[in-house]
Amino acid sequence: MYSQPLSKLKIGILGGGQLGWMMILEGKKYPFEFYVLGDKEKDPACKIADKCFSEEEYKQMIDSSDIITYEFEHVNENALEYAEEKEKLLPRINNVELKRERYKEKEFLRDNSFPVPRFYVAEDGDEALKILKEEFNNEGVIKTSKGGYDGKGQYFIHNDVDKYQFIKDMKCKFVVEEFVNYDFEASIIAVRSKNEFKYYTPSYNYNEKGILVYNYGPYYNDKMIEIADNLTRRLDYVGTIGIEFFVRKNQVLINEIAPRVHNTGHYTLDAASISQFEEHIRAISGLPLGSISVSKFFGMVNILGTDNLPKELLNYGKVYWYGKNEVRKRRKMGHVNIIGNDLEDVKQKIDNVIKLIYPQGYSL
Amino acid sequence: MYSQPLSKLKIGILGGGQLGWMMILEGKKYPFEFYVLGDKEKDPACKIADKCFSEEEYKQMIDSSDIITYEFEHVNENALEYAEEKEKLLPRINNVELKRERYKEKEFLRDNSFPVPRFYVAEDGDEALKILKEEFNNEGVIKTSKGGYDGKGQYFIHNDVDKYQFIKDMKCKFVVEEFVNYDFEASIIAVRSKNEFKYYTPSYNYNEKGILVYNYGPYYNDKMIEIADNLTRRLDYVGTIGIEFFVRKNQVLINEIAPRVHNTGHYTLDAASISQFEEHIRAISGLPLGSISVSKFFGMVNILGTDNLPKELLNYGKVYWYGKNEVRKRRKMGHVNIIGNDLEDVKQKIDNVIKLIYPQGYSL
């Protein structure tokens, strides 16, 4: 019987942040080399990569890699396009393109019958405010179409539209969306390779000012699994994907998709039989996916904008410290993964961890 | 409340092999830097260390590290002694000294009432053969006292003492030991820090010609836990330890101790809530140990002397490939970690993995 060998691939990662860092930590067990396009001096992923290439060296990096992936969608566009052209990019460029402008992602989802909040596209700020008034009675969300993540460029407007008149003069495209009065936010992490589809148990997520503070689970929701399956099939997706939802009663609405490993899937490093990072590496390398089981109650707390790390954190979980060059407000510096006996135990531990990290409370 | 911070320690590892490599992979999540004393060009651990120092630079490495540990007991003795002198070595040097000569380890265990096979110490080969005849009726094991691991320097003599007359002329010290007709071999991995003792569920081990081929479990044995507790206390031990046993009916005899992370504990990377490597790093850094639970049926197969890696291996488990510079007979090149639904499932997967790695059978 002939067996195809696990060959010595060179995998190039666009982006040098913590997601790339965890891809490499989890991928290092394979006979692969990891190259990173990033800042040699500052980027976490560069510190453990076999080789780090500067932004200018993207062609050289792509030419010397067998496969190119990205740890984040807002990376060097020339590199993405060059890698796609060389047929090395996974997930393919159509997925990133959806993320370049919010309205493209929204329209794609709506046009393919995936559930999304009601929205309209505005050509400029003036139109955005008009739509907000006419369609949503001045209660809704205005989001710049370009460059938004971690809550950037999002305006949540309730009875205070007067405060947002500055939007009128903004000359960029916007998405204007209904304000979803959700019960909670949730997400699913899924993986598709050429022949397989796998998913992790969804989680409850707690975001504040557009940034994830903590999540926990398991949260069971068959509808999310079905959406992940259909969506990745429709996108001809290869790799790990994160899909964020609003949940209101029994209804789910897609808030956003992330065509990459995702912050709400960090728990898979400790609570699942195989991590989202390792599955991503397997999927893009054409390897069989691992069997996923999430057998534990889990939680994750982001360490945001601080390097306060009391030893006692280790009484509640595992600390992942990304080793970023400097602390900045809202910056993701690390996270704590928690395991518990049940959901209550996990929530108690999350509380304790938050108190240890942010003794004065967190300000985002 | 004042909390001691998880500070940015510099941890130096003596030895650059796979055990150091896995210590770093598992320790990288902490805000620590890892230095390795090893061969920059060849050693697995050097490839992911923050800095690699050559054997000659041991003083420089130790001076610039906060803590020194070792991944293997047969490393640079000057470095071990210098690190001990600087009060940086953990586990302390008494533990390695026991391993420099077999007879010291055996005598220590016997003198402290730990169960070991009956043995005698011989000053040279002539005396060893005499003891074998007089005390064991020419059936037993003769082991050189120095430099033995992975089955090196061990002679198993049954009815063929004539073949071993060459031992007579050997001028080194020997241990002569009863031949233990064990039912099976087993081991326990345990961890002690200054205030805590933790252990992993023991495993059944299968060695051939003195080298571990595979192991699996869980195997429950309270006596082993008690021995691990007493022994690490007696040794004033800090870190992860591996203790290998012969099991015959209800009796356990210690075959060997390994004052370090151990090959039979590789399963902890995937089947336990925290790995032996991470616990080792926590113990030597004065951090709280993690809570250990082994909730799964597990197995591990060593990849020995081959770089044959069929992709299908991933259908049965996770492949850890150490990235050594060349394949040599009996050399540990990597391993496969297996999870199963029960012991039978694990054993079936071990069989399948062995067939994939060694299609012509293994020769050790």
Side-chain angles (χ1 to χ4, degrees):
Chain A
M1 185 194 70
Y2 174 71
S3 276
Q4 250 203 310
L6 231 174
S7 48
K8 294 179 178 60
L9 294 174
K10 293 182 176 77
I11 297 180
I13 301 173
L14 306 179
Q18 67 270 14
L19 298 171
W21 177 75
M22 287 181 270
M23 268 186 210
I24 299 178
L25 282 184
E26 284 288 291
K28 267 282 174 194
K29 59 171 77 78
Y30 293 103
F32 300 159
E33 281 186 65
F34 289 91
Y35 299 161
V36 168
L37 191 72
D39 184 329
K40 197 177 264 177
E41 302 302 319
K42 295 181 181 170
D43 283 353
C46 281
K47 290 184 188 158
I48 50 171
D50 291 285
K51 200 166 171 190
C52 187
F53 294 77
S54 71
E55 295 292 335
E56 295 69 42
E57 297 170 315
Y58 73 88
K59 282 195 181 174
Q60 193 185 327
M61 178 206 177
I62 291 164
D63 290 340
S64 53
S65 298
D66 299 302
I67 300 163
I68 297 289
T69 191
Y70 43 92
E71 55 116 39
F72 191 49
E73 53 277 21
H74 300 289
V75 291
N76 191 319
E77 293 194 3
N78 296 327
L80 286 163
E81 275 155 25
Y82 186 70
E84 174 78 14
E85 189 188 311
K86 294 284 172 184
E87 298 185 356
K88 292 183 178 182
L89 190 69
L90 287 174
R92 293 195 56 186
I93 206 162
N94 61 313
N95 298 289
V96 202
E97 279 167 348
L98 286 183
K99 296 300 294 181
R100 284 197 188 147
E101 297 230 18
R102 266 184 221 283
Y103 84 91
K104 288 189 187 170
E105 176 184 356
K106 297 272 177 196
E107 287 185 347
F108 168 84
L109 292 170
R110 186 192 56 198
D111 297 349
N112 284 279
S113 305
F114 292 103
V116 284
R118 188 161 65 95
F119 73 93
Y120 299 86
V121 182
E123 293 303 317
D124 57 28
D126 188 47
E127 192 185 354
L129 284 169
K130 269 185 198 141
I131 291 169
L132 186 77
K133 188 173 176 191
E134 285 163 19
E135 296 293 337
F136 299 107
N137 198 21
N138 277 337
E139 178 148 337
V141 191
I142 295 180
K143 299 177 177 179
T144 55
S145 190
K146 267 198 177 169
Y149 66 93
D150 283 351
K152 289 164 193 161
Q154 302 190 21
Y155 309 105
F156 291 80
I157 303 171
H158 291 279
N159 301 313
D160 50 356
V161 72
D162 293 349
K163 283 202 276 175
Y164 292 92
Q165 291 307 309
F166 64 90
I167 293 173
K168 191 175 264 177
D169 300 325
M170 291 170 75
K171 294 299 172 207
C172 56
K173 224 164 181 157
F174 289 91
V175 168
V176 189
E177 198 175 273
E178 68 171 312
F179 175 74
V180 180
N181 195 13
Y182 54 79
D183 299 329
F184 56 87
E185 294 180 86
S187 61
I188 190 169
I189 308 294
V191 197
R192 186 175 284 284
S193 68
K194 271 168 195 144
N195 313 309
E196 296 177 277
F197 170 77
K198 308 256 179 185
Y199 64 89
Y200 294 89
T201 321
S203 67
Y204 299 96
N205 304 335
Y206 180 74
N207 292 286
E208 200 167 306
K209 296 190 183 161
I211 198 161
L212 183 72
V213 181
Y214 61 85
N215 73 325
Y216 62 95
Y219 161 60
Y220 299 103
N221 188 312
D222 288 344
K223 185 73 192 156
M224 288 186 188
I225 299 166
E226 193 189 315
I227 288 172
D229 189 359
N230 290 334
L231 180 59
T232 51
R233 198 186 308 259
R234 179 68 191 71
L235 288 167
D236 201 12
Y237 199 83
V238 173
T240 294
I241 193 170
I243 311 170
E244 293 184 277
F245 295 89
F246 299 126
V247 184
R248 188 172 52 183
K249 294 195 182 97
N250 291 322
Q251 197 193 7
V252 301
L253 294 171
I254 299 178
N255 176 27
E256 218 181 338
I257 62 180
R260 53 168 163 85
V261 291
H262 193 248
N263 196 167
T264 64
H266 290 357
Y267 82 81
T268 64
L269 286 164
D270 292 299
S273 51
I274 185 164
S275 74
Q276 63 166 346
F277 305 99
E278 183 170 349
E279 287 286 44
H280 183 73
I281 298 296
R282 287 191 183 208
I284 63 172
S285 310
L287 298 173
L289 298 183
S291 144
I292 292 176
S293 70
V294 177
S295 52
K296 293 160 184 162
F297 294 91
F298 62 83
M300 190 280 317
V301 180
N302 270 335
I303 303 174
L304 300 164
T306 176
D307 61 358
N308 175 44
L309 284 179
K311 274 188 189 180
E312 289 81 354
L313 285 172
L314 298 190
N315 293 325
Y316 301 105
K318 290 196 196 170
V319 172
Y320 292 76
W321 184 250
Y322 310 147
K324 293 189 177 177
N325 63 320
E326 57 176 12
V327 179
R328 283 187 230 134
K329 194 171 169 171
R330 291 168 59 89
R331 193 177 207 193
K332 290 172 180 167
M333 304 301 296
H335 73 267
V336 182
N337 268 358
I338 290 164
I339 299 292
N341 302 318
D342 50 43
L343 278 189
E344 275 318 301
D345 183 32
V346 166
K347 284 198 240 177
Q348 187 57 57
K349 284 177 175 162
I350 288 175
D351 273 357
N352 292 332
V353 164
I354 286 176
K355 278 179 197 141
L356 283 167
I357 301 173
Y358 311 103
Q360 267 85 49
Y362 49 85
S363 82
L364 299 173
Chain B
M1 186 193 69
Y2 174 72
S3 278
Q4 251 201 308
L6 231 174
S7 47
K8 296 180 175 60
L9 294 173
K10 294 182 175 75
I11 297 178
I13 301 172
L14 307 178
Q18 68 270 16
L19 299 171
W21 178 75
M22 287 182 270
M23 268 186 210
I24 300 178
L25 282 184
E26 284 289 289
K28 267 286 176 192
K29 60 169 77 75
Y30 293 103
F32 301 158
E33 282 186 64
F34 288 91
Y35 298 161
V36 167
L37 192 73
D39 185 328
K40 196 177 264 177
E41 301 302 317
K42 295 182 180 170
D43 283 352
C46 280
K47 290 186 188 158
I48 50 171
D50 291 285
K51 199 164 172 191
C52 187
F53 294 78
S54 71
E55 296 292 336
E56 294 70 39
E57 297 170 314
Y58 72 88
K59 282 194 183 177
Q60 193 185 326
M61 178 208 179
I62 292 164
D63 290 340
S64 54
S65 298
D66 299 302
I67 300 162
I68 297 289
T69 192
Y70 42 93
E71 55 116 39
F72 191 48
E73 54 276 21
H74 300 288
V75 291
N76 191 319
E77 293 194 3
N78 295 327
L80 286 164
E81 275 155 27
Y82 186 70
E84 173 78 12
E85 188 189 312
K86 294 284 173 185
E87 298 184 353
K88 292 182 178 182
L89 189 69
L90 286 174
R92 294 194 58 186
I93 205 162
N94 61 311
N95 298 288
V96 203
E97 279 167 349
L98 286 182
K99 296 300 295 182
R100 285 198 186 145
E101 296 231 18
R102 266 184 220 281
Y103 84 91
K104 288 187 187 173
E105 177 184 357
K106 297 272 178 197
E107 288 185 347
F108 168 84
L109 292 170
R110 185 191 56 195
D111 296 350
N112 285 278
S113 306
F114 292 104
V116 284
R118 189 161 63 96
F119 74 93
Y120 298 86
V121 182
E123 292 303 318
D124 57 28
D126 188 46
E127 192 185 354
L129 285 169
K130 269 185 198 143
I131 292 170
L132 186 79
K133 187 173 179 192
E134 285 161 22
E135 296 293 337
F136 299 108
N137 198 21
N138 276 337
E139 179 147 338
V141 191
I142 294 180
K143 300 177 177 179
T144 56
S145 190
K146 268 199 175 169
Y149 66 93
D150 283 351
K152 289 166 192 159
Q154 301 189 23
Y155 309 105
F156 292 80
I157 303 170
H158 292 278
N159 300 315
D160 51 354
V161 72
D162 292 350
K163 282 203 276 174
Y164 292 93
Q165 291 307 310
F166 64 88
I167 292 174
K168 190 176 263 175
D169 300 325
M170 291 170 76
K171 293 300 172 206
C172 57
K173 224 163 179 158
F174 288 92
V175 167
V176 188
E177 199 176 270
E178 68 170 312
F179 175 74
V180 180
N181 194 12
Y182 54 79
D183 300 328
F184 56 87
E185 295 181 87
S187 61
I188 189 168
I189 308 294
V191 197
R192 186 176 284 285
S193 67
K194 272 170 195 142
N195 315 306
E196 296 177 277
F197 170 77
K198 306 255 178 185
Y199 63 91
Y200 294 89
T201 321
S203 67
Y204 299 95
N205 304 334
Y206 180 73
N207 291 286
E208 200 168 305
K209 296 190 184 162
I211 199 162
L212 183 72
V213 181
Y214 62 85
N215 73 325
Y216 62 96
Y219 161 59
Y220 298 102
N221 189 311
D222 288 343
K223 185 71 191 158
M224 288 185 187
I225 298 166
E226 192 189 316
I227 288 172
D229 190 358
N230 290 334
L231 179 60
T232 51
R233 198 187 307 259
R234 178 67 190 73
L235 288 167
D236 200 12
Y237 199 84
V238 173
T240 294
I241 193 170
I243 311 170
E244 293 184 275
F245 296 88
F246 299 127
V247 183
R248 188 171 50 184
K249 294 195 180 100
N250 291 321
Q251 198 194 7
V252 301
L253 295 171
I254 300 178
N255 176 26
E256 218 181 338
I257 62 180
R260 52 166 165 85
V261 292
H262 193 247
N263 196 166
T264 64
H266 290 358
Y267 81 82
T268 65
L269 286 164
D270 292 300
S273 50
I274 185 164
S275 74
Q276 62 166 349
F277 305 99
E278 184 171 349
E279 287 286 43
H280 183 74
I281 298 295
R282 287 191 183 209
I284 64 171
S285 310
L287 298 174
L289 297 183
S291 145
I292 292 175
S293 70
V294 177
S295 52
K296 294 160 183 162
F297 295 90
F298 62 82
M300 191 279 318
V301 179
N302 271 335
I303 304 173
L304 300 164
T306 177
D307 61 357
N308 175 44
L309 284 179
K311 274 188 191 181
E312 289 82 352
L313 284 173
L314 298 190
N315 293 326
Y316 301 106
K318 290 195 196 172
V319 172
Y320 292 76
W321 183 251
Y322 310 148
K324 292 188 178 178
N325 63 319
E326 57 175 12
V327 180
R328 284 186 229 132
K329 192 170 172 172
R330 291 168 57 87
R331 194 177 206 193
K332 291 172 180 167
M333 303 301 296
H335 73 266
V336 182
N337 268 358
I338 290 164
I339 299 292
N341 302 319
D342 52 41
L343 278 189
E344 275 317 302
D345 182 32
V346 166
K347 284 197 242 178
Q348 187 58 55
K349 284 176 176 163
I350 288 174
D351 273 358
N352 291 333
V353 164
I354 286 176
K355 277 179 197 142
L356 282 167
I357 301 173
Y358 311 103
Q360 266 86 48
Y362 49 86
S363 82
L364 299 175

